[in-house]
Amino acid sequence: MNLLSAQPSGPAGTRGEIFADSGSPALDCRILNMSAAGATLAVPDGVAVPETITLAIAGEFVMRRCRVVDRRRGRITVAFEMPV
């Protein structure tokens, strides 16, 4: 399944924050590509990102609950589950 084949929305390069749970600090990321179904995020190399996260995108008022579906060096691809 290609999450990013749908029409892209939101500008590439937008800053985001990843929240793993209420006790850990936010992890800065950059949106590389985004569609209605998911996004590819640039993350710092070597940072462990859990299977489920909450994603906040700069300039948006909704936070998205996400599931990691692919991991590559310095990037992850997530599927949006539902707004939080």
Side-chain angles (χ1 to χ4, degrees):
M1 173 170 85
N2 186 350
L3 294 174
L4 303 178
S5 63
Q7 293 180 336
S9 64
T14 301
R15 189 179 66 79
E17 289 183 310
I18 295 171
F19 297 92
D21 61 46
S22 61
S24 54
L27 172 66
D28 288 332
C29 67
R30 181 119 353 243
I31 313 304
L32 299 176
N33 196 343
M34 190 168 87
S35 72
T40 299
L41 313 173
V43 296
D45 282 340
V47 172
V49 178
E51 290 298 313
T52 58
I53 61 168
T54 301
L55 176 64
I57 300 172
E60 293 190 2
F61 296 104
V62 66
M63 295 178 76
R64 293 175 172 87
R65 188 77 180 150
C66 305
R67 178 178 37 87
V68 176
V69 296
D70 188 46
R71 296 173 187 273
R72 312 265 169 144
R73 184 180 173 126
R75 65 178 58 191
I76 60 172
T77 300
V78 298
F80 298 143
E81 291 185 344
M82 59 188 254
V84 177

